[in-house]
Amino acid sequence: MTWRSFFVRIVCSILIVVFGYVVAAETMLYRLNESQVGSSSAIHMQIDHNALYGSAITGDVSFLKYGVAAEKTPDIIALGTSRTMQFREEFFQGATFYTFGGIGDSVDAMRDIFDRISLQNTPKIVILGVDWDWLNPHYSHELPENALDSNNVLNRRMYLYKSLFREVRKNSKVQTQLLHPNLDEVDAIGKRPTIGLSAGVNYDGFRKDGSYQYGEYILHPNSIEERFADTYQRIEKGERRFEAADHIDADELAKLEALINHMRQRGCHVVVFLPPFPNQIYQTLLDSDRHGGFMIQFEDAVKEVCIAQNIPFFNFSNMEWLGASDAEAIDGFHGSERTYGRIVLQFQKDDALVPYINAEYIEDCLRESNHPFQIIPENL
């Protein structure tokens, strides 16, 4: 055997293995309704068909949000963590709205998001939801990977394959669906096309305004005790955003002040609010020796920054202050769409934001809906 023929056989063998790997991965993605995850087609499906996007193999939605927002060029944005994903575009009028909640969890991440979207379109108004963990010195402030936001199609697909095989190995629900697919191509709640396994099975996913539909909770709400159990466990163990602290991180506070100043210099009207906890969770935090002092420092520090910069500040740390019962909470630190409708009504105290608030519509929805979480008609 010559060296050339040996080399050709080696190359052919490698290509066969790679081809088999790709075919296997693409077949599994198709069976799991995940083929369009990380692709431009997902962006166009959201824009053109209001598709519900919910992947079960990766939580990276940066590509989707940046892609949709680039087309919408929103005048008003919500900037924050998953605790800003409950704002709806129907809450506003006379301007386009989009929420970037869910693609970062630190001041640095918010700066990165704002700078990215401002390259194409600088919003008129930024509603900034400041989370308590941003100023916690014992919580990681690393930027998210956002691998699907790469311009390299091959890199995006390889990341998706890696995430797929990881979930297939460890996630029994994914394994079951792979063997016996039982999902819907149309969202049973809003009658939208579904992208991703979570959207097709539980109807969980992102809508075209960047908000999140908690489909499983909407259709089958658990008791308050069940919904809050994980948060109580986090508080008790001091983990997963609830790390114990007795002082705020001065460096992160300085970054927050710089971020607000940066957005204002770009011509944005900035509104800062503290997202709500259910009353019983908030009281537990305040009464805790490991969290109470920090929470008070956090609220006071953010308020002082806003006063110094002369920008609107709203402290909604306790849902009860909004007239909302704990039954409206999705879990121990996420308010529902109903709660965030109440928040937007409170924003009427801001002269710059009030012309864009669809107050009568929100009030009608709050009055007419009897669901603890949802108030906007399901097909919107």
Side-chain angles (χ1 to χ4, degrees):
M1 180 184 297
T2 65
W3 281 107
R4 176 174 291 184
S5 62
F6 176 74
F7 177 75
V8 170
R9 287 191 178 187
I10 292 295
V11 171
C12 288
S13 297
I14 293 173
L15 290 176
I16 290 171
V17 170
V18 171
F19 179 76
Y21 175 83
V22 171
V23 169
E26 290 294 339
T27 300
M28 287 191 284
L29 289 173
Y30 177 78
R31 288 176 66 85
L32 295 172
N33 198 31
E34 299 273 349
S35 295
Q36 297 177 88
V37 168
S39 69
S40 59
S41 60
I43 296 170
H44 296 307
M45 283 188 67
Q46 276 227 317
I47 295 170
D48 298 333
H49 305 291
N50 194 18
L52 184 70
Y53 178 95
S55 173
I57 63 175
T58 175
D60 185 349
V61 294
S62 56
F63 84 96
L64 180 77
K65 294 215 162 188
Y66 288 134
V68 174
E71 296 290 333
K72 294 189 67 169
T73 59
D75 303 303
I76 304 172
I77 67 167
L79 192 58
T81 66
S82 57
R83 301 174 85 208
T84 61
M85 297 191 312
Q86 297 75 23
F87 289 113
R88 301 296 305 277
E89 62 183 337
E90 290 80 14
F91 290 166
F92 303 92
Q93 61 184 357
T96 54
F97 169 82
Y98 194 78
T99 171
F100 285 88
I103 57 176
D105 187 16
S106 67
V107 181
D108 285 338
M110 298 306 115
R111 176 68 176 253
D112 188 59
I113 295 167
F114 178 79
D115 285 346
R116 167 69 182 272
I117 62 178
S118 295
L119 291 174
Q120 295 181 311
N121 171 65
T122 300
K124 296 177 182 177
I125 298 175
V126 178
I127 300 171
L128 178 64
V130 178
D131 266 328
W132 81 107
D133 57 316
W134 295 1
L135 303 189
N136 189 326
H138 302 140
Y139 183 71
S140 173
H141 300 126
E142 295 180 359
L143 290 172
E145 183 179 8
N146 290 344
L148 290 178
D149 191 36
S150 168
N151 290 325
N152 189 309
V153 176
L154 180 60
N155 286 346
R156 293 202 305 267
R157 215 59 185 170
M158 292 307 295
Y159 171 80
L160 194 61
Y161 292 166
K162 178 182 175 181
S163 301
L164 167 67
F165 286 110
R166 181 192 65 228
E167 293 302 314
V168 168
R169 286 196 306 270
K170 73 175 188 177
N171 192 324
S172 59
K173 293 182 179 179
V174 172
Q175 294 168 5
T176 300
Q177 285 294 327
L178 187 60
L179 295 173
H180 307 287
N182 182 24
L183 50 83
D184 295 330
E185 294 182 357
V186 176
D187 160 32
I189 297 174
K191 308 304 180 186
R192 311 172 183 87
T194 61
I195 301 172
L197 183 60
S198 292
V201 173
N202 298 320
Y203 316 120
D204 292 336
F206 291 90
R207 308 179 185 95
K208 66 177 181 179
D209 60 1
S211 66
Y212 193 83
Q213 175 174 286
Y214 296 89
E216 192 169 16
Y217 285 101
I218 292 171
L219 294 178
H220 310 290
N222 295 330
S223 66
I224 290 178
E225 291 75 17
E226 291 173 306
R227 300 204 303 272
F228 292 1
D230 179 66
T231 303
Y232 276 121
Q233 185 179 65
R234 295 185 188 202
I235 294 171
E236 182 179 353
K237 293 184 176 181
E239 63 181 15
R240 293 180 292 154
R241 302 181 73 177
F242 289 89
E243 284 74 6
D246 59 5
H247 66 281
I248 61 173
D249 190 321
D251 291 338
E252 295 301 316
L253 180 63
K255 287 181 183 179
L256 176 63
E257 185 171 14
L259 169 63
I260 294 171
N261 187 53
H262 175 61
M263 292 190 292
R264 295 184 70 199
Q265 288 180 342
R266 292 297 302 269
C268 301
H269 176 73
V270 182
V271 178
V272 171
F273 80 102
L274 306 186
F277 293 94
N279 176 60
Q280 61 178 275
I281 296 294
Y282 183 70
Q283 295 301 333
T284 297
L285 288 169
L286 288 188
D287 294 341
S288 168
D289 293 336
R290 297 193 300 166
H291 301 282
F294 170 81
M295 292 298 295
I296 294 173
Q297 286 185 46
F298 161 72
E299 293 177 20
D300 289 344
V302 178
K303 180 179 180 180
E304 289 171 5
V305 165
C306 294
I307 290 174
Q309 298 218 23
N310 193 29
I311 63 171
F313 170 77
F314 296 87
N315 186 352
F316 301 132
S317 294
N318 190 337
M319 288 174 56
E320 189 174 68
W321 301 342
L322 290 159
S325 74
D326 286 0
E328 287 186 17
I330 298 294
D331 57 29
F333 56 101
H334 288 94
S336 66
E337 179 180 292
R338 176 177 286 275
T339 307
Y340 279 68
R342 299 180 189 275
I343 285 175
V344 174
L345 290 177
Q346 292 296 314
F347 284 157
Q348 291 180 98
K349 296 174 183 176
D350 175 40
D351 291 341
L353 191 51
V354 67
Y356 301 108
I357 294 175
N358 200 355
E360 184 176 351
Y361 177 79
I362 297 172
E363 290 167 351
D364 287 345
C365 288
L366 285 168
R367 182 174 57 255
E368 294 173 5
S369 171
N370 59 7
H371 197 285
F373 306 146
Q374 292 293 99
I375 60 171
I376 302 293
E378 294 172 342
N379 63 332
L380 296 177

